[in-house]
Amino acid sequence: MDERLERYAELAVRVGANVQPGQEVFLFPAVEHHELARALARQAYRAGAAYVHVLYNDGHTRRAMIELGPDEALTYSPEWLKTFVTSITGNALLATTGDPEPELLADLDGERVGRAVPQELVQIRIQQMTENTVNWCGVGAPSEGWAQQIFGEPDVERLWELVAFCMRLDEPDPPAAWRAHVASLVERAESLNELQADALRYRGPGTDLTVGLLPNVQWVSGASDTASGIHYVANMPTEEIFTSPDARRTEGTIRSSLPLPLAGQMVRGLELTFEGGRAVLVEAESGADLVRSHFATIENADRLGEVALVTKESRVGQTGTVFYDPLFDENATCHIAYGAGFPFLADGDPEGVNGANMHVDFMVGGPELEVDAVLADGTEVPLIRHEEWQLA
Amino acid sequence: MSVNGEERLERYAELAVRVGANVQPGQEVFVHGLVEHAGLVRALTRQSYRAGASYVHVMYSDQHIRRAMIELGPDEALTYTPAWLKSTAETTEGNAQLGTTGNPEPELLADLDGERVGRAIPHESVEIYRELHRKSSINWSAVGAVTEGWARQVLGEPDVEQLWEKIAFCMRLDEPDRVAAWREHLDRLDARAAALMGLRPDAIRYRGPGTDLTVGLLPTARWGSARFRTASGIEYVANMPTEEIFTTPDPTRAEGTIRASMPLSLGGQLIRGLEFAFEDGRIVHVDAETGADVVRGHQANIENADRLGELALVTKESRVGQTGTLFYNTLFDENATCHIAYGFGVPNAFEGEPDERMNASRIHVDFMVGGPELEVDAILADGTEVPLIREEAWQLDS
């Protein structure tokens, strides 16, 4: 048995989702992730899981649906799948990322690819996030295809080494290292909360964007507690502090700094222009139709749901690697998401938090990006310069 | 042979979809396969959409996850049926189903407690599928999926191409008109079944090395091929390949002993040298060189697993038999030679509602009994014995 794989899975189960004895555990791996899925199942049972549900997904059968299936299939949420997703409430969830073929759908009609979202299922998951009823974690699953995408060759071992570094598996006591790391992120979030900023301003090449913030919505780290008090780390790795902005107040233009694999297509050079909180213009070198299709077919997908700040201490950033995977790339650098926000951050009043049935992160950070907090009196306080954190 | 691997895979999947399950435009299709079968599962999905499926539900399973459950999970997990799995089974009603077989690691569970392996069955969903089969409300088919692991088991080396060639032969992919070839083949099997029914046999008697077994028949149960019709009239071929004619016997009448002639891959273990002794229809003794505990686990824990559910006759014209290959896979091996199943009967053997005496167990396990030395006779009501099979050749006129 691969010991590194088991230790990795154990960290995801015990520190990430923090599976409790007697909980059921739900896994959503890609078929190509079966080695990790099996290790996660073993570790979940070792942690006392009552049952481990595994639902494999497959980019190729999804491709067949979009390419060959009828229109109605695109948005269909089968009854059994609704039951599956609903059953996650009160239980634990482990998701795997690292698309083995991130451009599998590149030649398909972007409008159709963008429309292919089982919205009822997404709605159930968002409800669970809103009520914070699921302790969950997303982790990367190295595969030949993913390594090929990153390095131009299927060097899985090299990818494993990077992933292990990002996951702090090199530390003598990884769970303790994770506790210390999360504590430092919490501290950073609290220093920003103390500023009581009214807005964030991003400036950089192709970027000048102001995003309004909500007075009752906190900045937090990627670690949180379920409504029933289970402490979990939703993303591993995580290097961000984030919040949900006021979805009604976004003005200006922002340019993405990394390619974004999205629903089987690669979005390159994404630029969004906002007026009155809405994206009114979408430009991209590739994949623009897919993003436009999201904005056209999913209510409020054209408004923001998340702003997240990452600096150069990030272990993911330190690898100097573009992972072509949101979980890793969004923890290398600052990012923003269009679509759903996080109502559970809103202290009971989610007014202004985006309730879309979709959430798509894209990366905006880099050495030239300047991020400021704009206070109520108009004062601008530098938060990030040259990828360094500026607050005390 | 100019057909490349990709094209062969699509043709194979097309045959399973169009002739096997016979997917109808507007039907939903459930494709069940192991993660190692992804290549075939994807082709079946494509061909189902091409045949007009309104949606294809892809249900991958993973033996290693199952192993983790049996090895590390609590007792309750073994027989648990999640609500979504029940819902999956219920949604299959009126729709089409495709399953893939061909175990890449048939002995994956060999070191686990056989009793626990035998107990690990999600009874509630099995029950739903059983009812759907009883009502003939699914058009379905099972086909083999080539993997390196399966090739290693069959050939002693991971020669996927050689296994593909055998399977393509069994599936008649070499015929110029594959659909017509399948129709003729099934017509031949149905004619053979009709000739046997013309005898109005009361029982079947098996004789051979280690075997002398008499099994009573039900007067209303028919003999037939695996070409079935759903209650709504969709014709389908439940197994591809298929070379058998079969019936469901009287579960209260089996006397004597029978010895399996091939190893049987069951629940992640390989059962070798299986022998049963029957009294009054019940299995009273189980022996095997390996894996006896899995079978005993079934007999001890599952009602009526100790009675028979199927008798099937296969002769040497079988394309599977002609390959001379032991496939370590029930779908193939049961079509190489005569076989018998313990457990659940075959509702398709009846026109309309099954006879209430049919075995209503929750499990159905086929094991192979045929071979050159096996003699099979029909016993008529007056006691006359009519030879059906000698030296693997069919003895009746049709």
Side-chain angles (χ1 to χ4, degrees):
Chain A
M1 198 151 290
D2 181 340
E3 201 194 318
R4 179 175 56 191
L5 179 68
E6 296 297 324
R7 283 172 57 221
Y8 181 68
E10 187 182 11
L11 198 60
V13 165
R14 306 245 177 191
V15 175
N18 189 14
V19 170
Q20 302 294 300
Q23 276 196 313
E24 297 184 21
V25 177
F26 291 76
L27 302 182
F28 282 103
V31 280
E32 294 88 346
H33 297 167
H34 60 260
E35 291 297 343
L36 178 57
R38 292 165 178 177
L40 290 169
R42 284 190 287 270
Q43 294 299 333
Y45 278 120
R46 287 193 193 283
Y51 193 83
V52 181
H53 306 260
V54 181
L55 187 61
Y56 282 104
N57 61 70
D58 185 344
H60 287 265
T61 60
R62 184 178 143 77
R63 184 188 162 96
M65 176 186 77
I66 295 171
E67 189 183 6
L68 307 168
D71 256 30
E72 298 71 32
L74 297 179
T75 51
Y76 179 48
S77 299
E79 207 52 46
W80 66 267
L81 209 44
K82 285 191 263 182
T83 305
F84 186 95
V85 178
T86 304
S87 306
I88 303 171
T89 302
N91 287 308
L93 168 65
L94 286 154
T96 61
T97 74
D99 194 331
E101 289 174 83
E103 300 201 67
L104 182 64
L105 309 185
D107 60 324
L108 299 187
D109 173 12
E111 191 276 331
R112 233 172 125 77
V113 175
R115 202 143 44 88
V117 177
Q119 292 203 36
E120 287 182 79
L121 299 179
V122 177
Q123 180 59 50
I124 299 168
R125 271 299 292 139
I126 286 176
Q127 181 78 11
Q128 288 164 343
M129 305 262 271
T130 303
E131 294 167 2
N132 216 348
T133 53
V134 178
N135 44 311
W136 66 280
C137 182
V139 291
S143 64
E144 286 193 2
W146 189 20
Q148 176 77 39
Q149 178 74 29
I150 298 172
F151 307 122
E153 53 180 352
D155 190 344
V156 180
E157 179 53 32
R158 187 171 156 204
L159 178 53
W160 256 117
E161 281 164 17
L162 293 180
V163 169
F165 173 75
C166 296
M167 288 287 278
R168 297 176 153 71
L169 280 181
D170 57 332
E171 297 278 352
D173 182 350
W178 269 91
R179 278 191 295 275
H181 170 58
V182 167
S184 73
L185 292 172
V186 169
E187 199 175 313
R188 180 176 287 190
E190 281 168 3
S191 71
L192 183 48
N193 284 329
E194 280 166 21
L195 283 185
Q196 301 194 304
D198 175 60
L200 280 189
R201 182 158 180 197
Y202 296 86
R203 270 175 302 205
T207 289
D208 188 351
L209 185 78
T210 302
V211 184
L213 297 175
L214 293 162
N216 58 320
V217 180
Q218 298 292 300
W219 288 85
V220 295
S221 76
S224 50
D225 295 313
T226 63
S228 66
I230 302 167
H231 187 75
Y232 67 100
V233 183
N235 289 339
M236 288 182 92
T238 184
E239 300 280 353
E240 60 178 321
I241 62 168
F242 66 95
T243 194
S244 281
D246 186 340
R248 301 160 298 192
R249 293 198 290 141
T250 311
E251 300 291 336
T253 300
I254 189 126
R255 181 184 289 176
S256 174
S257 56
L258 288 179
L260 173 68
L262 181 60
Q265 298 195 346
M266 193 66 71
V267 183
R268 291 192 168 83
L270 181 66
E271 274 191 35
L272 301 177
T273 301
F274 289 85
E275 281 176 24
R278 275 191 198 285
V280 292
L281 189 65
V282 178
E283 297 285 359
E285 291 153 27
S286 69
D289 285 346
L290 171 55
V291 175
R292 289 182 190 129
S293 173
H294 283 169
F295 291 176
T297 57
I298 296 165
E299 205 180 346
N300 291 321
D302 60 351
R303 294 181 183 274
L304 295 185
E306 179 186 348
V307 287
L309 304 177
V310 179
T311 58
K312 66 181 185 187
E313 296 83 358
S314 159
R315 283 207 170 201
V316 185
Q318 284 174 47
T319 67
T321 303
V322 179
F323 283 90
Y324 297 92
D325 180 77
L327 173 64
F328 282 79
D329 292 333
E330 75 170 15
N331 284 302
T333 194
C334 292
H335 60 275
I336 286 180
Y338 65 75
F342 307 108
F344 62 89
L345 300 177
D347 200 20
D349 177 19
E351 175 83 26
V353 174
N354 194 334
N357 284 343
M358 156 156 288
H359 178 99
V360 174
D361 296 286
F362 58 97
M363 280 48 79
V364 300
E368 294 174 272
L369 184 75
E370 300 184 350
V371 186
D372 290 351
V374 184
L375 307 189
D377 65 3
T379 317
E380 300 203 350
V381 180
L383 297 180
I384 296 177
R385 292 290 184 275
H386 306 294
E387 303 192 276
E388 282 179 37
W389 189 244
Q390 302 292 311
L391 293 185
Chain B
M1 187 86 163
S2 64
V3 178
N4 67 29
E6 214 165 295
E7 198 176 322
R8 180 175 57 191
L9 178 66
E10 294 298 326
R11 279 189 190 178
Y12 180 65
E14 186 182 15
L15 200 59
V17 166
R18 307 244 175 191
V19 174
N22 189 15
V23 171
Q24 302 293 301
Q27 275 196 313
E28 297 183 24
V29 181
F30 286 81
V31 179
H32 295 261
L34 292 174
V35 285
E36 294 89 345
H37 298 168
L40 177 58
V41 167
R42 291 163 177 176
L44 290 169
T45 303
R46 283 189 287 271
Q47 293 298 335
S48 294
Y49 279 120
R50 287 194 193 281
S54 61
Y55 192 83
V56 181
H57 306 262
V58 179
M59 315 299 301
Y60 280 111
S61 56
D62 185 341
Q63 300 190 95
H64 288 261
I65 304 285
R66 186 176 144 79
R67 184 188 162 97
M69 176 186 78
I70 296 171
E71 188 182 5
L72 306 167
D75 254 31
E76 298 71 30
L78 297 179
T79 51
Y80 177 52
T81 305
W84 65 272
L85 209 52
K86 281 185 264 186
S87 174
T88 306
E90 283 157 3
T91 312
T92 310
E93 178 158 20
N95 286 313
Q97 185 179 333
L98 288 155
T100 62
T101 76
N103 193 331
E105 291 173 88
E107 300 199 62
L108 182 67
L109 309 184
D111 60 324
L112 299 185
D113 174 9
E115 193 274 334
R116 241 172 117 77
V117 175
R119 200 142 49 88
I121 296 169
H123 287 297
E124 288 182 74
S125 66
V126 171
E127 177 63 29
I128 296 167
Y129 284 116
R130 194 167 66 89
E131 180 61 16
L132 296 181
H133 284 296
R134 206 185 59 77
K135 294 194 298 189
S136 289
S137 57
I138 313 174
N139 43 311
W140 63 280
S141 190
V143 293
V146 175
T147 59
E148 282 192 6
W150 187 21
R152 193 176 296 114
Q153 176 87 12
V154 175
L155 306 166
E157 52 182 348
D159 187 343
V160 170
E161 181 53 31
Q162 197 189 335
L163 182 55
W164 252 117
E165 281 165 17
K166 287 177 187 288
I167 284 175
F169 174 74
C170 295
M171 289 288 278
R172 298 177 154 73
L173 284 184
D174 56 333
E175 297 279 353
D177 183 342
R178 302 178 290 277
V179 174
W182 268 92
R183 190 170 301 121
E184 282 166 30
H185 169 58
L186 292 161
D187 286 347
R188 266 195 309 273
L189 291 174
D190 282 335
R192 184 179 280 190
L196 175 49
M197 278 194 293
L199 292 178
R200 300 179 159 276
D202 175 62
I204 298 289
R205 181 163 180 194
Y206 298 89
R207 271 173 303 197
T211 289
D212 187 350
L213 181 74
T214 302
V215 184
L217 299 176
L218 293 169
T220 58
R222 301 169 53 84
W223 288 83
S225 72
R227 178 165 55 185
F228 303 138
R229 209 175 267 284
T230 63
S232 65
I234 303 167
E235 190 177 282
Y236 64 99
V237 183
N239 290 339
M240 290 181 92
T242 184
E243 300 281 352
E244 59 178 320
I245 62 167
F246 70 90
T247 193
T248 195
D250 182 342
T252 65
R253 293 197 290 145
E255 299 290 334
T257 59
I258 189 129
R259 180 183 291 174
S261 56
M262 289 185 181
L264 170 68
S265 169
L266 185 61
Q269 300 198 1
L270 205 55
I271 321 293
R272 291 190 176 87
L274 184 62
E275 280 189 26
F276 292 114
F278 287 84
E279 284 177 16
D280 293 329
R282 275 192 195 285
I283 294 169
V284 293
H285 193 66
V286 178
D287 252 320
E289 289 154 27
T290 64
D293 284 348
V294 178
V295 177
R296 290 187 189 125
H298 286 167
Q299 311 291 335
N301 295 306
I302 300 167
E303 207 176 343
N304 292 318
D306 59 353
R307 295 181 182 275
L308 293 181
E310 181 186 347
L311 305 179
L313 303 176
V314 179
T315 58
K316 64 183 178 188
E317 293 83 0
S318 160
R319 281 205 171 203
V320 183
Q322 284 174 48
T323 66
T325 303
L326 179 59
F327 285 92
Y328 295 93
N329 175 282
T330 302
L331 174 63
F332 284 80
D333 293 332
E334 75 169 12
N335 284 302
T337 193
C338 292
H339 61 274
I340 286 178
Y342 64 76
F344 183 47
V346 188
N348 304 79
F350 299 92
E351 303 215 41
E353 283 289 298
D355 188 305
E356 60 185 21
R357 283 174 290 178
M358 184 186 84
N359 191 333
S361 180
R362 286 182 303 214
I363 199 168
H364 178 101
V365 175
D366 295 285
F367 56 98
M368 279 51 80
V369 300
E373 293 175 275
L374 185 74
E375 299 184 350
V376 186
D377 290 349
I379 304 178
L380 309 189
D382 65 3
T384 316
E385 301 202 353
V386 180
L388 297 178
I389 295 177
R390 290 291 182 278
E391 292 169 2
E392 302 193 274
W394 186 245
Q395 302 293 306
L396 298 183
D397 280 342
S398 191

